[in-house]
Amino acid sequence: QVQLVESGGGLVQPGGSLTLSCAASGSIVSINAMGWYRQAPGKRRELVADITSSGSTNYADSMKGRFTISRDNAKNTVYLRMNRLKPEDTAVYSCNANVLGYGSRYYLTYWGQGTQVTVSS
């Protein structure tokens, strides 16, 4: 079994910063891509950013220049640094990871439970 646990969410004022973390644990052989998604109330889940095991990154257009995704492969952890936060960034942020587990022949995608980020004065 593989578990992803996010942390770092909370309430922040507009213009502020926040860093989210997501740690993968369990029977892991290797992790390919890891990513962050968000879902605001009444809206569809959308990609925020993702990162390959070699460090190549991809961002949604609205997050470019404000958000930075990174990862620590030794810790099986992905981070999301969010700067200049806006009220419209308020959402539940979830991480996912494409994982090869022990005993598995295929990479499977696992999700964390999500962490709330609220941007408000």
Side-chain angles (χ1 to χ4, degrees), residues 3-8 19-25 28 30-36 51-53 55 68-80 95-97 99:
Q3 300 83 37
L4 272 64
V5 178
E6 299 106 334
S7 60
T19 299
L20 306 181
S21 301
C22 172
S25 63
I28 297 171
S30 67
I31 302 177
N32 193 356
M34 303 182 81
W36 287 96
I51 183 169
T52 67
S53 57
T68 302
I69 189 171
S70 61
R71 65 190 281 176
D72 184 333
N73 290 332
K75 296 182 179 179
N76 290 335
T77 299
V78 62
Y79 305 95
L80 184 68
C95 67
N96 74 356
V99 179

